[in-house]
Amino acid sequence: MAMAPATGSKAHQALNGGTFRQPPFGGIHCETSVFHKALHAHGLDIGEEMLLGLGGGIGFMYVATAPGTPPFLATRNDPFPVFTRRMAAGVGLELDIATTTDPREAHDQLLAELAVHRLAIVYADMHYLPYFSAEHHFGGHCLLVVGADEESGWWRVSDRPARLCTLAPEELAAARASRHQPFPPRHALVRAPWADAVPPTGTRLRQALAAAARAGLEPANSSLGIQGLHLLAERLVPVVHDGAAPDVVVDTLAKAFVDLCLAGTGGDGFRGMFHIFLGEAAALLDDPRVTDAVPQAAADAAAWQHLVATLLPAGTALGRLADALRAREEHLLAGTPERQVEAAAVEARLPLLHGEAAAAVPGLRTDLAAALHDAVHSVIDHETQLLRGLEPAGRER
C-alpha cells in the first residue's frame, strides 16, 4: 500500500537545504504547471508562461492518424522529453527520466521519489484519469503526485483542475501503463534536484528565443512549423469544401478546436502564453529586438484566436457545439463534485449537438471553407513575421 508523505509541520521541514512548500493545484498546461509546482515547492517561483518560453515556446505539428479520423495538432515546440529537458535546462536543472515496462518497478520508483522530494512528476494516459472524462487516448499528459491516503492507498494528485484530485491505485497504474498512441507514457517519472533550480539567465532566454525561431522556420520535415501550418491549410479546407460527409467535417473541426483551444494548450495553441513570456523576456534582456517582438506576438495570438473562432463559428449549430465543449472543459477544470455532475450533463448533450452541427454543414461549406483558408493563412503570415524577428534576437549581442 502506498504511504503518504509526512503532513502538518513536518511537511515544511528543511529539504536539501531549503524549505518545502505545499504545491498549489490547477494550471494552464500540464507540463508547465507541474514544473511550476515542483519549483514552487522547493523555493523558486516562476510562472508557466516563462517556463513555456524556456522550453522553446511555440511550434506546430500536424500528426496524421488512422484513415478516416482527424489529425492530432500539437502547438508547442517539441514533444516530451525534448521540450521538458529544455525547460529544465532553462532553470539550471538536468532531468533524469525513468521509464520501465514493469508496473511494480514503476510503483517502487514513485514511492522512492516521494520519499526524497515529497512530490513526483509522472506521465499518464488522460483516458484513464476519471476527472478528465477523456474519450481519446493521450499518453503525453503529466501530473504531480503529492502522496497517498495511508488507509485506502488512493493517490492524491495535483493536475490542471483547480483542486486536489484523487485516483484509485488501479486508475493511476492503468494510466501509467497505457500502450495507446499517441505518446504511450511507459511509466515515465521525471526526477531533478528541484532545490538547485535558479532563475533564467540572459543566455538561456536567448537560447529559448532561438529554439522557437528554429522550430517554426527550419522544421525537420513538412509536418512541422510553418510548413506544418501550410499542410493544415492544404488538408483542412478540402475536408470542409469538397464534400466530405457532414459528420466527418464536424469531427475534424471539433477535434481541431479541442487541440488548439482546450486540450491543455493554454488556449489558442500557447500563443497567449508566449506573448506573456516575450514581455517578461523583454524586461530582462533590455533588447529592442525582443521588445519589438512583443506586439508581433500579440498579433499572432489574435490570429490564432480568430482561427479557433472560425473552426466552429458563433451563431451556428457548430458554434453551439463549441459553447458546449468549452462549458464541459470549464466544469472539469473547476474540479468540484458538483461541477463534475455539470460536465457529465454537458457530455450527454454532445451527440445531439454534433448531429445538429452535421445537419448544418451543407449550407455552410463554401463560406466556412473560404473563412478557414483565410484564417490559417493569417496565422501563417503573423507567425512567420514573429519568428523572423525572433531569429536575430536569439543571438548574443
Side-chain angles (χ1 to χ4, degrees):
M1 178 180 292
M3 298 300 291
T7 57
S9 61
K10 291 183 180 180
H12 296 274
Q13 69 187 16
L15 182 66
N16 294 336
T19 300
F20 181 81
R21 299 181 291 179
Q22 293 293 345
F25 303 113
I28 305 171
H29 167 59
C30 67
E31 285 178 308
T32 55
S33 70
V34 297
F35 265 66
H36 162 71
K37 294 166 189 176
L39 294 170
H40 168 88
H42 292 87
L44 178 63
D45 285 312
I46 182 168
E48 285 192 57
E49 295 86 358
M50 176 58 71
L51 288 168
L52 172 75
L54 291 172
I58 54 175
F60 186 78
M61 178 186 299
Y62 183 104
V63 183
T65 54
T69 60
F72 170 69
L73 307 179
T75 56
R76 191 193 65 198
N77 182 359
D78 286 320
F80 171 80
V82 179
F83 169 86
T84 323
R85 290 190 186 281
R86 198 160 48 212
M87 182 168 55
V91 291
L93 297 178
E94 183 175 350
L95 295 185
D96 174 32
I97 301 172
T99 60
T100 179
T101 59
D102 182 349
R104 183 72 240 181
E105 181 182 8
H107 180 79
D108 291 344
Q109 289 173 343
L110 175 55
L111 292 182
E113 183 67 6
L114 286 169
V116 174
H117 289 295
R118 306 183 190 276
L119 51 79
I121 295 173
V122 301
Y123 279 75
D125 186 340
M126 291 182 68
H127 181 76
Y128 296 106
L129 303 177
Y131 50 82
F132 280 131
S133 301
E135 179 180 349
H136 301 288
H137 291 277
F138 178 71
H141 182 78
C142 68
L143 53 92
L144 195 73
V145 180
V146 294
D149 182 83
E150 293 183 358
E151 294 184 2
S152 70
W154 278 55
W155 294 104
R156 300 195 303 270
V157 303
S158 176
D159 205 328
R160 290 188 61 226
R163 57 177 288 160
L164 178 73
C165 299
T166 58
L167 292 170
E170 61 272 17
E171 290 170 339
L172 182 59
R176 298 188 67 199
S178 173
R179 297 184 179 183
H180 291 279
Q181 297 290 344
F183 314 123
R186 299 187 300 151
H187 297 102
L189 182 145
V190 174
R191 295 183 289 224
W194 301 109
D196 295 341
V198 295
T201 64
T203 296
R204 286 175 174 145
L205 287 170
R206 292 189 186 280
Q207 290 171 344
L209 296 174
R214 285 195 303 271
L217 301 175
E218 304 172 19
N221 60 63
S222 61
S223 68
L224 302 174
I226 299 298
Q227 292 185 39
L229 286 167
H230 280 286
L231 184 63
L232 174 66
E234 292 168 6
R235 296 188 178 179
L236 178 63
V237 173
V239 168
V240 176
H241 187 269
D242 293 343
D247 61 326
V248 172
V249 173
V250 176
D251 284 344
T252 301
L253 295 177
K255 179 63 165 55
F257 177 85
V258 170
D259 285 350
L260 299 181
C261 185
L262 302 181
T265 61
D268 308 319
F270 295 105
R271 270 57 187 182
M273 290 178 71
F274 193 67
H275 172 228
I276 293 172
F277 159 71
L278 282 178
E280 295 175 350
L284 293 169
L285 291 173
D286 190 26
D287 184 334
R289 298 172 300 185
V290 183
T291 302
D292 290 345
V294 176
Q296 293 175 346
D300 185 43
W304 278 83
Q305 291 166 4
H306 177 67
L307 169 59
V308 167
T310 304
L311 290 166
L312 300 175
T316 70
L318 290 166
R320 290 191 291 276
L321 177 59
D323 292 341
L325 291 169
R326 280 197 185 94
R328 176 181 176 274
E329 181 81 355
E330 290 171 0
H331 289 315
L332 290 173
L333 293 183
T336 66
E338 296 79 10
R339 297 291 290 273
Q340 291 278 344
V341 172
E342 294 288 344
V346 175
E347 179 81 24
R349 293 173 45 226
L350 289 180
L352 174 62
L353 293 170
H354 187 285
E356 292 175 350
V361 163
L364 298 172
R365 282 188 188 275
T366 300
D367 290 345
L368 182 55
L372 286 169
H373 174 277
D374 292 346
V376 178
H377 282 278
S378 177
V379 163
I380 291 170
D381 292 344
H382 281 94
E383 196 131 307
T384 301
Q385 180 182 6
L386 169 63
L387 296 176
R388 284 177 176 166
L390 288 181
E391 194 172 26
R395 308 187 196 109
E396 292 288 354
R397 299 177 73 180

